[in-house]
C-alpha cells in the first residue's frame, strides 16, 4: 500500500542533519512505502542555503512537497512566501492542500500592547511580513475558503504549519504567554463548517498524535529540536547520574549529554524510531 507521509519541524540546521540522518530518513520512508513526503513547515532557518539542497536530495528518492513555517520565512519577502502558499496536489486517491497558516492572537487573553511587546522576544521579530498578523490570517482564511468551496472534501487532507485549535496550545506558565503566536481558532471553525476530515499541523513542538474535534481529525507529530526528542529525554531519564541536579530544563539536560559517546550511540540506534513517531502516514492506494 502506497503512503503519503507528512512531517513537520525538522529544523535540519539546528538539529545538525548530516548524511547519516538524511540516509536514515530516506531509508525509513522507503521501508514504510512512502511515495510522497510533505513537510509542513520549519524545515530550517535558511530556506535557500539549507532547505532547498535538502529537498533536492530527498527528491532523488521520492516526491517531496512543503509549506512554509515561520522559521522558513526568514529572509524571504512576501512575494516568495505567497508563491509557496496554497499548493494542491493529487497523491494517489487523496488530495493534499498545503498552506502556511498564521496567528491572530486569538489563543491569548492578554492585553494587545503586552502581546505586541512580547512579540519582540519571539523568533518572528526577525521576519519581515508587510501586513498585520490579523490581516495575514484573514487573507489565509479567505483563500482557503475559496479553495474549499471547489474541492471534494471527502478525500482532502490539509497540511499547515500553525496551530488550528486552542486545544493544542501551551499551559506551562513559561510558555503560555506565547500562545498568541501559535495560530488561530478561526481555522478550526472553517474546517468544521466545511467538514474537513484530516488536518496535519506542527509549530508547537508537542506531539498530540491524532485527536478528533467536532469531526475534524487533527494530526500533530512535530519532530522538534533534538533536546525535545523522546530519545534524548529517555536517555537522560535512564542515566540519572548524568543529571545530578535532576533538572527538567530540556536545554540543560541536552547540554549534559550531547557529546557523551553513549548518548551518540543511543541516538544512532533510536533515531529511526524518533522519525517514525514524527510521521503522519496516510494510505493513498
Ligand atoms: Mn514554527
Amino acid at each position: 500500500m502506497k503512503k503519503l507521509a507528512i512531517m513537520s519541524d525538522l529544523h535540519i540546521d539546528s538539529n545538525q542533519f548530516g548524511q547519516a540522518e538524511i540516509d536514515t530518513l530516506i531509508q525509513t520512508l522507503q521501508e514504510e512505502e512512502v511515495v510522497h513526503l510533505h513537510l509542513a513547515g520549519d524545515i530550517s532557518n535558511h530556506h535557500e542555503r539549507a532547505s532547498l539542497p535538502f529537498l533536492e536530495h530527498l527528491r532523488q528518492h521520492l516526491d517531496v512537497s512543503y509549506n512554509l513555517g515561520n522559521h522558513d520565512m526568514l529572509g524571504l519577502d512576501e512575494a516568495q512566501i505567497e508563491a509557496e502558499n496554497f499548493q494542491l496536489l493529487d497523491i494517489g486517491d487523496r488530495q493534499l492542500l498545503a498552506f502556511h497558516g498564521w496567528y491572530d492572537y486569538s489563543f491569548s487573553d492578554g492585553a494587545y500592547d503586552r502581546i505586541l511587546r512580547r512579540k519582540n522576544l519571539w523568533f518572528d521579530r526577525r521576519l519581515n511580513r508587510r501586513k498585520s498578523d490579523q490581516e495575514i490570517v484573514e487573507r489565509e482564511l479567505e483563500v482557503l475558503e475559496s479553495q474549499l468551496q471547489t474541492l471534494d472534501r471527502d478525500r482532502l487532507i490539509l497540511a499547515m504549519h500553525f496551530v488550528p485549535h486552542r486545544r493544542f496550545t501551551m499551559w506551562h506558565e513559561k510558555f503560555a504567554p506565547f500562545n498568541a503566536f501559535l495560530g488561530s481558532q478561526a481555522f478550526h471553525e472553517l474546517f468544521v463548517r466545511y467538514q474537513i476530515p484530516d488536518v496535519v499541523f506542527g509549530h508547537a513542538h508537542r506531539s498530540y498524535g491524532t485527536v478528533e474535534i467536532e469531526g475534524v481529525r487533527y494530526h500533530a507529530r512535530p519532530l522538534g529540536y533534538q533536546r525535545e526528542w523522546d530519545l534524548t529525554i529517555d536517555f537522560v531519564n535512564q542515566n540519572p547520574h548524568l543529571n545530578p541536579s535532576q533538572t527538567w530544563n530540556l536545554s540543560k539536560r541536552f547540554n549534559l549529554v550531547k557529546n557523551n559517546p553513549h548518548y551518540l550511540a543511543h541516538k544512532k540506534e533510536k533515531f529511526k524510531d524518533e522519525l517514525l513517531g514524527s510521521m503522519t502516514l496516510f494510505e493513498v492506494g
Side-chain angles (χ1 to χ4, degrees):
M1 186 62 95
K2 289 179 179 170
K3 290 178 200 151
L4 155 69
I6 304 184
M7 302 181 76
S8 76
D9 302 87
L10 298 190
H11 293 282
I12 59 167
D13 47 351
S14 307
N15 288 332
Q16 297 177 290
F17 266 45
Q19 194 64 48
E21 285 76 16
I22 297 174
D23 287 346
T24 304
L25 174 60
I26 291 166
Q27 194 196 341
T28 307
L29 292 165
Q30 287 174 337
E31 285 172 10
E32 291 296 316
E33 294 184 79
V34 171
V35 294
H36 189 113
L37 171 66
H38 181 81
L39 297 171
D42 282 2
I43 301 166
S44 83
N45 289 352
H46 306 281
H47 190 63
E48 276 158 38
R49 197 172 78 224
S51 299
L52 294 183
F54 170 71
L55 294 163
E56 271 320 299
H57 190 152
L58 294 179
R59 283 190 176 122
Q60 293 170 12
H61 303 271
L62 73 169
D63 291 335
V64 183
S65 55
Y66 62 91
N67 58 269
L68 301 176
N70 49 327
H71 284 258
D72 307 297
M73 292 174 186
L74 195 64
L76 301 189
D77 63 28
E78 204 57 36
Q80 289 171 299
I81 293 170
E82 182 101 351
E84 308 268 24
N85 210 357
F86 290 101
Q87 295 177 47
L88 185 64
L89 298 161
D90 283 300
I91 302 166
D93 55 16
R94 302 291 300 260
Q95 200 165 38
L96 175 68
L97 176 62
F99 63 103
H100 313 325
W102 198 248
Y103 47 82
D104 60 2
Y105 318 154
S106 54
F107 294 152
S108 170
D109 42 23
Y112 192 68
D113 58 328
R114 289 197 65 189
I115 291 172
L116 289 182
R117 263 183 282 139
R118 200 166 278 135
K119 204 179 167 187
N120 291 323
L121 305 171
W122 190 241
F123 177 86
D124 296 5
R125 74 188 182 278
R126 300 165 65 189
L127 307 180
N128 188 21
R129 302 210 67 177
R130 313 261 297 263
K131 292 178 277 186
S132 75
D133 295 321
Q134 287 77 8
E135 284 170 326
I136 296 171
V137 169
E138 275 167 33
R139 165 94 181 131
E140 293 277 317
L141 291 165
E142 211 176 277
V143 179
L144 181 60
E145 182 159 17
S146 72
Q147 301 242 353
L148 295 181
Q149 282 166 349
T150 67
L151 296 172
D152 172 8
R153 275 113 60 189
D154 290 343
R155 63 189 191 101
L156 192 62
I157 297 166
L158 298 186
M160 63 191 292
H161 182 65
F162 292 85
V163 176
H165 193 287
R166 63 169 57 86
R167 160 82 169 74
F168 309 108
T169 58
M170 297 184 274
W171 51 268
H172 191 288
E173 56 180 21
K174 194 174 149 198
F175 303 112
F178 296 98
N179 282 337
F181 317 121
L182 287 191
S184 170
Q185 191 73 14
F187 291 111
H188 174 72
E189 285 158 19
L190 193 63
F191 301 157
V192 172
R193 197 137 43 84
Y194 284 86
Q195 299 176 286
I196 304 303
D198 290 291
V199 179
V200 186
F201 66 95
H203 190 44
H205 291 178
R206 182 158 169 205
S207 210
Y208 292 91
T210 297
V211 177
E212 187 171 329
I213 304 175
E214 295 179 278
V216 183
R217 273 188 305 273
Y218 286 107
H219 311 271
R221 295 174 179 84
L223 180 65
Y225 297 124
Q226 206 175 323
R227 62 174 182 267
E228 301 164 322
W229 294 358
D230 287 344
L231 70 82
T232 303
I233 290 170
D234 290 347
F235 182 81
V236 178
N237 286 347
Q238 288 155 14
N239 294 275
H241 63 285
L242 298 174
N243 180 21
S245 73
Q246 296 183 12
T247 179
W248 265 100
N249 178 299
L250 296 183
S251 298
K252 288 181 188 162
R253 286 165 62 102
F254 178 55
N255 283 329
L256 290 168
V257 302
K258 66 181 179 188
N259 297 316
N260 184 306
H262 299 290
Y263 170 70
L264 296 172
H266 170 84
K267 181 188 158 190
K268 202 172 170 188
E269 189 194 323
K270 300 290 182 185
F271 184 58
K272 182 188 269 192
D273 291 339
E274 194 76 39
L275 291 174
L276 280 169
S278 306
M279 278 177 199
T280 297
L281 298 168
F282 295 94
E283 293 185 346
V284 292

